[in-house]
Amino acid sequence: MLLALIATACRDEIPRSKSESMAEPVSELHARSLALSELHEPAPTVGSGDWLAEHEEPGQTFAEYLDEDPVAATAGRRRIYVVPIGEFDAGRQQVFDRTVEAVRHWFGLEVVVEAAVPLSAIPQNSMRQSNHGDWLQLHAGYLMRRVLRPNLPADAACRIGFVSADLWPGRGWNFVFGQASLRDRIGVWSLYRNGDPNESKAAARLCLLRTVKTATHEIGHMFGMRHCTAWSCNLAGSNHQAESDRQPWRLCPECLPKLLRATGVDAGERFVALRRFGDGFGLAAEAEWFARAGDAWRSAR
Ligand SMILES: [Zn+2]
Ligand SMILES: [Zn+2]
């Protein structure tokens, strides 16, 4: 349900600002990405209740992405700002810190963590107790309009709020995992539904993987990347937790060159950094894939 809201925002709010040209020709970025095709899986068959069973989406090739003249990180806008909102216990603080590091490696941009916004700063009429008081929900629109959009730093490629509590977007909705505006380059994401990382090491790894996948998916939207339908890919839409868990933390040959073009990050260095991240924090399968992708990228030169 929540993801439907994000998708609607994506479709309606693709920005049209001019981007700076990057050093490597975009045709070469795409050709080298296509050379990694054998490391990827095609999109899985759509099942009942899956995203594409309920949303008609055409996908977006790299050429179609370029035709939209999407937003990119320019020389003057190379920072991703992150605002912690609410209180984080030890396990969730660790997930937050590691997700910040993952975002830095994924996009190759500086990530700046701003001062935390305490729950006491959120007005009572922008929060509610869900399910007769069982848990706290914060109003996503309030956070977007009143916390993240004002005073957006001039050098911000985008600004994201990481929220410890649950989110809801307003009347008619039970909750959202997150919400984003592509026009304003702002968004919020909640850790609330990613499991309790304090339960066990396995739960902490699962929470981290879910959180980094959501963060990189949504920030990708902020750089004009639409949902991917051709491959099993981090930019594929997701309608429920099981579908999201099936999707890999990697970008397909059509989506990788979009990110490289939008950020100017060196793909080879990016794969090395992501492999180290995976090795360091227990994401062994992801680390192993990044290692193979890095090798394939170098030999595709
Ligand atoms: Zn999405
Ligand atoms: Zn893709």
Side-chain angles (χ1 to χ4, degrees):
M1 188 190 283
L2 126 79
L3 291 169
L5 181 61
I6 295 172
T8 301
C10 297
R11 280 198 296 273
D12 294 341
E13 300 186 21
I14 289 287
R16 301 284 174 174
S17 61
K18 289 285 181 187
S19 58
E20 292 193 341
S21 61
M22 294 299 166
E24 191 165 5
V26 293
S27 58
E28 185 172 334
L29 294 178
H30 192 207
R32 289 181 75 179
S33 298
L34 287 170
L36 275 58
S37 293
E38 65 181 22
L39 297 179
H40 293 272
E41 304 287 336
T45 303
V46 178
S48 174
D50 286 352
W51 178 265
L52 287 176
E54 299 185 4
H55 303 86
E56 200 170 318
E57 290 185 328
Q60 181 194 47
T61 65
F62 182 53
E64 289 166 342
Y65 165 85
L66 292 177
D67 282 345
E68 294 185 352
D69 193 18
V71 73
T74 63
R77 281 186 187 168
R78 297 199 58 78
R79 286 179 162 174
I80 295 172
Y81 284 84
V82 180
V83 183
I85 299 171
E87 279 77 46
F88 292 74
D89 61 30
R92 290 178 175 85
Q93 182 63 48
Q94 187 177 71
V95 168
F96 174 91
D97 293 341
R98 291 175 178 179
T99 299
V100 165
E101 188 173 339
V103 167
R104 179 164 57 244
H105 298 319
W106 190 267
F107 294 96
L109 297 172
E110 182 181 355
V111 181
V112 178
V113 178
E114 298 186 66
V117 175
L119 288 179
S120 59
I122 311 295
Q124 287 294 318
N125 62 5
S126 294
M127 59 176 66
R128 71 176 184 179
Q129 295 292 327
S130 187
N131 198 35
H132 309 293
D134 283 356
W135 70 89
L136 177 70
Q137 293 187 306
L138 303 185
H139 191 272
Y142 172 84
L143 299 177
M144 303 261 287
R145 287 192 301 274
R146 305 298 295 272
V147 176
L148 297 164
R149 185 183 293 161
N151 305 313
L152 184 68
D155 61 355
C158 61
R159 186 190 235 171
I160 60 178
F162 270 89
V163 187
S164 58
D166 202 16
L167 290 170
W168 106 101
R171 190 184 306 175
W173 293 77
N174 293 324
F175 73 94
V176 285
F177 294 115
Q179 188 169 334
S181 164
L182 296 181
R183 191 188 307 282
D184 296 331
R185 293 176 288 122
I186 55 174
V188 287
W189 293 273
S190 169
L191 305 183
Y192 184 80
R193 293 174 184 267
N194 288 350
D196 184 353
N198 300 290
E199 278 183 0
S200 66
K201 285 188 175 179
R205 282 195 298 272
L206 178 60
C207 182
L208 175 63
L209 184 58
R210 286 172 168 171
T211 305
V212 297
K213 283 164 68 174
T214 305
T216 53
H217 175 107
E218 302 302 343
I219 297 173
H221 281 326
M222 290 182 177
F223 287 113
M225 298 163 70
R226 294 177 184 265
H227 278 154
C228 181
T229 58
W231 297 87
S232 187
C233 175
N234 181 237
L235 258 292
S238 176
N239 219 27
H240 50 84
Q241 191 68 66
E243 185 178 26
S244 180
D245 285 341
R246 282 199 302 269
Q247 292 165 347
W249 191 37
R250 69 185 68 146
L251 290 175
C252 78
E254 294 299 322
C255 294
L256 176 62
K258 300 172 192 174
L259 179 139
L260 301 179
R261 190 254 191 189
T263 64
V265 64
D266 180 279
E269 293 175 7
R270 174 179 178 275
F271 283 129
V272 169
L274 289 169
R275 177 187 59 76
R276 287 190 183 134
F277 177 86
D279 277 339
F281 298 125
L283 305 180
E286 286 73 22
E288 195 268 339
W289 189 90
F290 290 131
R292 288 196 291 138
D295 290 344
W297 180 265
R298 279 185 290 280
S299 55
R301 183 181 295 277

